[in-house]
Amino acid sequence: MRIGILSDIHANREGFEAALSALRRLGTDRIVLLGDIVGYGADPEYCVEAAARLMEDGAIGILGNHDAAIDGSDEDMNRIAREAIRWTRTRLLPEHRAVLKNLAISHRVEDALFVHASASQPAEWFYITDERNAERSLRATDARITVVGHVHRPHLWRLTSQGTATGHAPHQGVENPLAQSQRWLAVIGSAGQARDGRPGAGYGLLDLARRSLTFGRVDYDHYTAARKVREAGLPDQLAERLLRGE
């Protein structure tokens, strides 16, 4: 099975469309949306509706912290994220909110677990940015492969024979073999708001038969996405992030 993975779309229509098109060209058997369909960007209605259509066709939808904040609390978010969530609430209809409310907190396909932030306490939204949190997530599940988003910077971790996590930032477009004898944790990156210095739309392709994962990146019209953010009256920093990819 070839699973296409999109994470942290963040209401960025242009990034979403470009990453999804790239996956369709590569060929997938199933799509996973790893959460944060909304937040930050100017097209929440479109992105929720497009996600709903994908899920109607068999895609897996995972709940992200920005999705959860639409009908929940935003108090743990920073000021800019809160402003974006409160603006987004004014744009979403009940049917949009129902889509977000019904997203799963996690989902497993064979020996791969999909969750937005971490396998350890998925609804606590831990950021996997260091060895300690990577180890915590790896040890919280018996899945051989855990795939997460949330961080917006692609990374591939593995659990060593000593029980410690080691990882690296993967090259784009390169197939990474995932040895059956080891446990793996992949941070996919973001389709809608990259933060690794490259303003492209990120995605992942997990091939369960070949036991491999490819991290991909595709250029998109981030200038239009940034312009829409400014025209919507959202914080200017959100537009600047799209332009710089950080």
Side-chain angles (χ1 to χ4, degrees):
M1 180 182 288
R2 288 163 61 85
I3 301 176
I5 307 161
L6 298 174
S7 187
D8 296 273
I9 294 161
H10 282 300
N12 182 337
R13 175 175 182 165
E14 289 72 24
F16 190 3
E17 290 178 337
L20 184 59
S21 293
L23 283 174
R24 284 174 168 160
R25 287 192 297 269
L26 292 170
T28 63
D29 300 300
R30 200 166 192 184
I31 296 290
V32 173
L33 305 175
L34 266 183
D36 280 359
I37 296 168
V38 299
Y40 297 141
D43 284 304
E45 308 99 303
Y46 172 85
C47 291
V48 173
E49 290 165 9
R53 288 192 295 271
L54 288 172
M55 288 186 284
E56 288 170 2
D57 290 336
I60 299 162
I62 302 298
L63 181 72
N65 57 308
H66 287 252
D67 307 320
I70 293 299
D71 282 327
S73 173
D74 58 22
E75 291 306 315
D76 60 341
M77 292 181 163
N78 63 43
R79 178 186 60 81
I80 292 173
R82 259 197 322 273
E83 284 186 35
I85 285 294
R86 292 174 184 181
W87 176 86
T88 301
R89 288 173 181 153
T90 70
R91 301 291 297 270
L92 297 182
L93 299 172
E95 51 264 39
H96 298 128
R97 292 169 179 257
V99 172
L100 299 178
K101 188 175 182 179
N102 288 325
L103 295 171
I105 194 68
S106 66
H107 188 92
R108 186 157 174 168
V109 179
E110 298 180 18
D111 59 356
L113 176 69
F114 300 95
V115 62
H116 180 65
S118 174
S120 65
Q121 297 178 285
E124 294 300 317
W125 318 119
F126 292 126
Y127 288 90
I128 298 178
T129 56
D130 56 30
E131 292 84 354
R132 182 176 63 87
N133 278 322
E135 289 168 19
R136 181 190 297 180
S137 181
L138 282 159
R139 291 172 177 164
T141 175
D142 63 354
R144 189 176 67 84
I145 306 163
T146 303
V147 186
V148 305
H150 197 40
V151 177
H152 296 217
R153 292 186 298 275
H155 212 83
L156 183 60
W157 299 90
R158 67 179 177 88
L159 196 63
T160 69
S161 57
Q162 290 77 36
T164 58
T166 182
H168 68 281
H171 293 295
Q172 302 295 316
V174 176
E175 189 175 25
N176 296 273
L178 305 177
Q180 181 72 22
S181 60
Q182 295 184 309
R183 303 266 299 284
W184 299 89
L185 171 60
V187 183
I188 290 298
S190 174
Q193 196 187 85
R195 292 183 187 167
D196 59 355
R198 291 184 57 197
Y203 60 88
L205 181 63
L206 176 64
D207 193 320
L208 293 177
R210 290 175 59 86
R211 297 173 184 166
S212 68
L213 175 63
T214 302
F215 293 80
R217 185 67 64 88
V218 62
D219 291 335
Y220 74 97
D221 188 358
H222 56 289
Y223 296 106
T224 292
R227 174 180 55 78
K228 287 180 176 180
V229 166
R230 290 191 171 111
E231 289 175 350
L234 288 160
D236 192 64
Q237 296 95 319
L238 296 175
E240 289 298 319
R241 282 181 183 174
L242 295 178
L243 297 174
R244 296 195 309 266
E246 59 186 26

